[in-house]
Amino acid sequence: MNASPPPRSRQIPVIVLAGFLGSGKTTLLNHLLRHRAGNRIGVIVNDFGAIEIDAMTVSGQVGSTVSLGGGCLCCAVDASELDTYLETLTRPAARLDVIVIEASGLAEPQELVRMLLASDNPHILYGGLVEVVDAAEFGATRERHPEIGRHLAVADLVVLNKTDRAGEQEREHIREAVEAAGSRAAVIPATYGRIDPELLFDPALRPDGEEKARQLTFEDLYLEERAQESGEEHGAHLHTAYESVDFTSDAPMDPRRLMEFLDSRPGGLYRIKGYVDFGAGDVDNAYAVHAVGRFLRFVPKPWTRGEPRLTRLVLIGSGIDADALRKELEGCRTPGEPGRETTQDAPHERAMWGVLRYVQQPGDDDA
């Protein structure tokens, strides 16, 4: 297994949020900002028009950076300046955990993905392309923008927004269109852009405990009250749109078998995160694995003294068969090493997303 040395500083996932005008991108973004799970979010608005980000408005001010509160930042940029602002937002002083690029309603998301994958910035990690679709107006949108098929084909996650205004038949029609586009993306229903942030990024764990120890502000109380009044509380209903599968094994994994599983992972499986023990394949290192959509990265991490040598994975998606996935992973263990496999009560790994590193660089045809 060829692995380049990991960068010295952690990498920040960069998520591309795309969708045609009126699909609900900004509504979804505002939802993420209100339910950011302790993360500091950097927002890059790739548009020249008036963009509403809650109470803050960016009106064609390309090159401006505005504080959103809670350590979050927003800047409006020309696509040609993307690298410059990624450099700014990934500086240690910004202390950001996640960066979201809200693409213009007429942008080609594939080009933004290409720019991210071609970036020389060692501090970023591709976090996936999220395509927001207006479920109630999909037919009309496809007539106006037939290129939506291209967008769906390259998406890692498709959010069917405004499903409260679309019947099951319409929703199924859109799912068929996603499949017809050649996409294996997970498809998540939503209303008012309310998706679980943990689909996109992990809750932040702060070494100094600042997010947990600080006193509630008036802003916190206001947002909590407003969320309760509007029914936007981050409750269990947000988790019903997807499944999360935990897998733990104390038997080493066979590299060839695991790669075969990862290369043929089923449609609807959006994220994979965790650590893998390859046993005799590399006795010195565990391997952090990061997969989003079709993109896959490994990075070696030296075992620490006394650390249990376990494989721990979390798989997240929609419409996935949890039992089948666990069975396939059990089949990836090294022959002759039965080990002990635990799933239901396996501890859910936190903050793995932020410590993964690039090992492979996909070719241009991956985007």
Side-chain angles (χ1 to χ4, degrees), residues 164 292 306:
D164 55 322
V292 55

Side-chain angles (χ1 to χ4, degrees), residues 157-223:
L157 177 69
V158 176
V159 177
L160 296 189
N161 199 27
K162 307 181 185 180
T163 51
D164 55 322
R165 295 170 45 199
E168 182 55 40
Q169 186 174 356
E170 293 171 291
R171 283 180 260 175
E172 186 58 34
H173 177 63
I174 299 172
R175 292 189 184 97
E176 291 173 356
V178 172
E179 292 182 9
S183 174
R184 300 171 66 241
V187 179
I188 302 294
T191 58
Y192 301 101
R194 299 172 194 158
I195 66 171
D196 193 328
E198 290 190 44
L199 269 169
L200 307 180
F201 49 79
D202 294 332
L205 288 181
R206 307 243 175 246
D208 54 6
E210 62 187 57
E211 287 289 338
K212 293 181 180 179
R214 69 180 178 86
Q215 186 175 1
L216 284 175
T217 65
F218 283 111
E219 179 185 13
D220 294 324
L221 297 173
Y222 166 70
L223 290 175

